[in-house]
């Protein structure tokens, strides 16, 4: 293969997604990229997913395992892969035609990660909002490292919107705290190479009842789990930086705006009104980490959680955690603004 076409491994993990798995596999097979392998791991599906997957056994590597969760099925696929770059594609998501050809010029040894935007679609494949997250065309990792130090994260797409250089996933160590495959790798990538962000939607992210279940139940335990994983990833990142002798350190804090927000939502989930001191700490963290518009929005959100009755607080908190509602609202506001100009 020409040097600008390194081997790319698309790893598709599936659990009970018989409605979507065929379309997902087809979106990978239809890529006009000349050096590609596709691995599909069925994580013990109880529906007809495995029967559908086996129909592609002459074109892709098909593996079935007992149900062990998304992380372990992704690791199974990674162990079976040989790609210089890897792409974890959720079974309900899609790649758009020609996506890998657009990404190909950036698959270089000095590039650790290529994130791209995703178009949110509904169960039937209809677009329900603007492409997200908003990415600026960039080849720099410095601002991302700065964001990690400031906020504990940087703006990145969900799993299906990223291609990683293989070594980012090697020798990660203990991931027992994790549920997803790309929790600490997305944080590690800027320290190990250039992150080339593409400001075009090259994939589709499906919103449906199954994957919204994690947002539908406002649970204190669930929200505290978000906090625990957030902090565990940062501690793990600091460990990997030290073990690999990478230049640069990260400063761990306990008062990230994300942690404060999840603490507030956990308080609401337990049926309590957040204390003014906690809300003030949250606003202070947002002011430190974000610009004025975000601070104003967060202030309105915090005030709502304080003044509303219990039912209203829970509804507002649920709205905050539901991405499909946010995308629809953003799209409507954008449309209204364009009509008014």
């Amino acid at each position: 293969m020409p040097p600008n076409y390194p081997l790319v491994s698309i790893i598709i993990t599936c659990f009970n997604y018989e409605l979507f798995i065929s379309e997902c596999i087809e979106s990978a097979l239809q890529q006009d990229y000349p050096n590609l392998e596709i691995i599909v791991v069925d994580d013990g599906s109880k529906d007809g997913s495995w029967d559908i997957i086996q129909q592609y056994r002459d074109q892709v590597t098909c593996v079935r395992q007992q149900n062990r969760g998304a992380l372990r099925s992704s690791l199974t696929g990674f162990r079976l892969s040989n790609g210089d770059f890897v792409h974890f594609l959720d079974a309900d998501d899609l790649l758009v035609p020609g996506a890998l050809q657009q990404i190909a010029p950036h698959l270089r040894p000095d590039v650790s990660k290529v994130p791209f935007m995703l178009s949110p679609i509904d169960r039937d494949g209809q677009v329900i909002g603007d492409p997200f997250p908003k990415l600026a065309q960039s080849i720099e990792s410095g601002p991302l490292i700065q964001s990690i130090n400031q906020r504990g994260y940087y703006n990145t797409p969900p799993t299906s919107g990223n291609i990683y250089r293989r070594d980012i996933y090697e020798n990660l160590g203990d991931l027992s705290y994790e549920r997803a495959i790309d929790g600490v790798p997305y944080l590690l990538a800027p320290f190990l190479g250039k992150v080339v962000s593409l400001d075009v939607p090259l994939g589709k992210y499906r919103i449906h009842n199954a994957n919204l279940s994690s947002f539908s139940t406002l649970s204190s335990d669930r929200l505290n789990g978000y906090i625990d994983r957030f902090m565990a990833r940062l501690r793990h990142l600091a460990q990997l930086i030290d073990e690999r002798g990478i230049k640069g350190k990260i400063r761990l804090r306990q008062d990230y705006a994300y942690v404060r927000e999840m603490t507030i939502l956990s308080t609401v989930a337990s049926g309590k009104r957040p204390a003014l001191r906690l809300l003030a700490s949250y606003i202070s963290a947002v002011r430190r980490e974000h610009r004025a518009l975000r601070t104003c929005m967060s202030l309105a959100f915090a005030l709502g959680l304080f003044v509303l009755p219990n039912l209203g607080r829970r509804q507002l908190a649920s709205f905050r955690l539901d991405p499909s509602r946010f995308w629809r609202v953003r799209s409507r506001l954008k449309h209204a603004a364009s009509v008014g100009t």
Side-chain angles (χ1 to χ4, degrees), residues 61-312:
T61 300
C62 305
V63 181
R64 181 172 169 82
Q65 66 180 28
Q66 291 184 344
N67 179 245
R68 302 174 69 194
L71 173 63
R72 291 183 177 274
S73 59
S74 295
L75 290 173
T76 295
F78 181 74
R79 285 192 292 269
L80 294 171
S81 70
N82 299 288
D84 304 292
F85 288 83
V86 294
H87 179 220
F88 292 95
L89 179 62
D90 289 341
D92 52 341
D93 296 339
L94 307 169
L95 282 173
V96 303
L100 291 185
Q101 275 292 359
Q102 293 191 60
I103 294 169
H106 310 292
L107 300 181
R108 307 186 307 268
D110 63 333
V111 174
S112 58
K113 177 174 180 272
V114 182
F116 49 88
M117 297 169 69
L118 299 169
S119 297
I121 59 175
D122 63 14
R123 179 188 180 94
D124 300 319
Q126 299 299 310
V127 175
I128 59 173
D130 294 330
F132 76 99
K134 186 177 181 181
L135 296 175
Q137 195 83 14
S138 171
I139 60 171
E140 298 298 328
S141 294
L144 306 184
I145 294 174
Q146 182 180 3
S147 181
I148 293 171
N149 272 309
Q150 183 178 13
R151 305 172 184 171
Y153 69 93
Y154 64 88
N155 202 26
T156 192
T159 304
S160 297
N162 303 277
I163 290 183
Y164 289 86
R165 197 177 64 216
R166 182 177 192 85
D167 64 293
I168 305 301
Y169 278 92
E170 293 176 335
N171 302 315
L172 289 177
D174 182 19
L175 292 171
S176 59
Y177 66 88
E178 190 58 89
R179 297 178 63 183
I181 187 61
D182 55 350
V184 77
Y186 99 89
L187 294 171
L188 180 62
F191 293 90
L192 294 179
K194 295 179 180 178
V195 174
V196 179
S197 300
L198 304 181
D199 60 350
V200 289
L202 299 179
K204 297 181 179 181
Y205 181 82
R206 199 181 304 267
I207 305 294
H208 52 90
N209 289 340
N211 66 5
L212 279 180
S213 62
S214 62
F215 303 103
S216 60
T217 303
L218 191 65
S219 161
S220 182
D221 287 343
R222 184 188 299 275
L223 293 161
N224 289 332
Y226 291 165
I227 296 172
D228 291 342
R229 279 191 294 277
F230 181 86
M231 295 304 301
R233 288 170 182 170
L234 290 172
R235 289 192 294 269
H236 193 177
L237 174 63
Q239 176 187 340
L240 291 172
I241 289 174
D242 184 61
E243 290 176 351
R244 300 190 184 193
I246 301 170
K247 291 183 179 180
K249 298 290 184 180
I250 62 168
R251 300 183 298 272
L252 296 179
R253 301 197 317 271
Q254 298 297 321
D255 61 343
Y256 296 103
Y258 176 84
V259 171
R260 289 291 182 257
E261 182 175 4
M262 291 302 108
T263 302
I264 290 170
L265 294 178
S266 176
T267 302
V268 172
S270 64
K272 301 176 183 177
R273 189 186 306 275
L276 279 175
R277 179 178 297 179
L278 176 58
L279 295 173
S281 175
Y282 166 60
I283 296 302
S284 177
V286 173
R287 288 183 62 189
R288 181 181 62 244
E289 298 177 13
H290 299 279
R291 297 180 179 177
L293 178 60
R294 175 68 179 271
T295 300
C296 291
M297 294 174 62
S298 298
L299 178 59
F301 171 67
L303 288 174
L305 291 177
F306 183 75
V307 302
L308 287 172
N310 184 51
L311 178 59

